[in-house]
Amino acid sequence: MKKKLIAGNWKMNLTLNASIELTGNIVKNVPKKSIIETEVLICPTFIALSACSTLLKDSGIMLGAQNMSDKDDGAYTGEISASMLTAAGCEFVIIGHSERRKYFGETNQIVNSKSLKALTSGLKPIICVGETLQEREDEIYEAIVEKQISEGLAGISDEQMSDVTIAYEPVWAIGTGLNATPKQASDMHKFIRGLISGKYGSEIGNETRILYGGSVNAKNAGEILHAGGIDGALVGGAALKAEEFCTIISSATEK
Ligand code: PEP
């Protein structure tokens, strides 16, 4: 059975020392039972990855990056490659977060190219999709997400899908304190699972992990994580506090 995944996206927050401190506190406070029943991932900034990797050793908590290049190596100033991330201890990489799409112009094609590069380099992509507030109000949110899924997954094989995680993150719920109701989230997860089943068959559709992201916190995690079809959470702001992040992790196992 698929375990739920609780992933913390630290975004452009925390110095190296602060990242080390937060990682140490998460390792110390994460409930032992939860770490067996739930998968836990932290995604610090690039410069903290190696140090965090050392601290996570034997903790059962996994490490991921927030972005990567779709190029192997070479003259791409300011970029970071998949091989650098695996060498730093990463197992996962977040691809196509709405902040990357909005501020750095990442298109579905770039998201696809990065996801393919991650997969062929031994990294598991967490591919983010989700509609803006305007798109929800215009009632075109399903069409938007359908395009993000079909273009984002282009060329990804059946076998590779076992390493793909999707994160449904309505843009209007990220960092705003607003979140989708459990029903809205559950309905969209069902819709996305239907798209994946349509492309890859129902076995892969059922097995693919789909996370919810958007202002998940210690208070609302329980009802969101146990709404139907939600396989975990991608957590931003609340992942920066060890105690709150650990409470969210516990909520994934409690019924
Ligand atoms: C995110 O960064 O993916 C996110 C969901 O942020 P927040 O939890 O702060 O809304």
Side-chain angles (χ1 to χ4, degrees):
M1 214 189 84
K2 229 176 357 189
K3 289 183 181 179
K4 288 198 196 300
L5 171 66
I6 305 298
N9 172 17
W10 294 5
K11 312 195 188 198
M12 195 175 71
N13 290 299
L14 309 183
T15 60
L16 174 60
N17 283 345
S19 300
I20 288 171
E21 190 182 336
L22 178 56
T23 303
N25 285 335
I26 292 171
V27 170
K28 200 163 64 196
N29 290 309
V30 73
K32 294 281 169 295
K33 176 171 176 274
S34 301
I35 203 77
I36 295 166
E37 295 175 6
T38 307
E39 292 191 11
V40 178
L41 168 71
I42 59 168
C43 302
T45 58
F46 292 138
I47 60 153
L49 289 172
S50 288
C52 293
S53 170
T54 305
L55 289 169
L56 292 179
K57 201 168 180 295
D58 300 327
S59 69
I61 299 175
M62 302 177 292
L63 186 69
Q66 301 171 20
N67 179 33
M68 58 167 258
S69 171
D70 61 351
K71 308 290 189 300
D72 285 323
D73 50 47
Y76 300 101
T77 303
E79 289 294 290
I80 192 144
S81 70
S83 61
M84 293 170 189
L85 297 182
T86 53
C90 289
E91 197 176 324
F92 287 82
V93 59
I94 300 170
I95 302 285
H97 189 280
S98 63
E99 289 150 14
R100 301 279 335 155
R101 293 178 187 259
K102 180 174 175 194
Y103 302 124
F104 304 98
E106 290 196 6
T107 60
N108 291 337
Q109 286 66 35
I110 294 173
V111 170
N112 177 243
S113 173
K114 289 186 174 192
S115 300
L116 287 166
K117 180 59 72 184
L119 288 163
T120 52
S121 308
L123 283 167
K124 298 173 182 167
I126 298 177
I127 303 175
C128 301
V129 298
E131 79 284 0
T132 63
L133 183 59
Q134 192 62 54
E135 289 160 350
R136 179 152 282 260
E137 285 174 354
D138 291 347
E139 296 188 4
I140 55 168
Y141 53 97
E142 288 191 344
I144 294 294
V145 170
E146 182 165 2
K147 197 166 187 314
Q148 290 171 335
I149 290 283
S150 74
E151 294 182 358
L153 296 182
I156 294 180
S157 69
D158 289 16
E159 293 72 45
Q160 288 173 320
M161 278 304 287
S162 59
D163 286 332
V164 170
T165 297
I166 303 292
Y168 169 62
E169 300 204 298
V171 181
W172 46 273
I174 298 180
T176 57
L178 297 173
N179 50 7
T181 62
K183 172 150 176 23
Q184 281 173 323
S186 182
D187 285 351
M188 278 310 280
H189 280 231
K190 206 163 159 196
F191 175 71
I192 293 167
R193 203 172 298 288
L195 296 173
I196 297 171
S197 298
K199 187 172 163 67
Y200 293 99
S202 56
E203 196 178 332
I204 292 177
N206 289 333
E207 280 306 309
T208 301
R209 199 147 48 181
I210 307 176
L211 311 181
Y212 172 78
S215 299
V216 173
N217 58 38
K219 281 212 186 83
N220 61 27
E223 62 169 359
I224 290 174
L225 287 167
H226 298 291
I230 296 182
D231 304 315
L234 182 54
V235 184
L240 295 171
K241 291 169 228 135
E243 204 182 320
E244 180 153 23
F245 189 57
C246 290
T247 304
I248 295 171
I249 296 166
S250 303
S251 310
T253 40
E254 284 158 10
K255 297 275 145 40

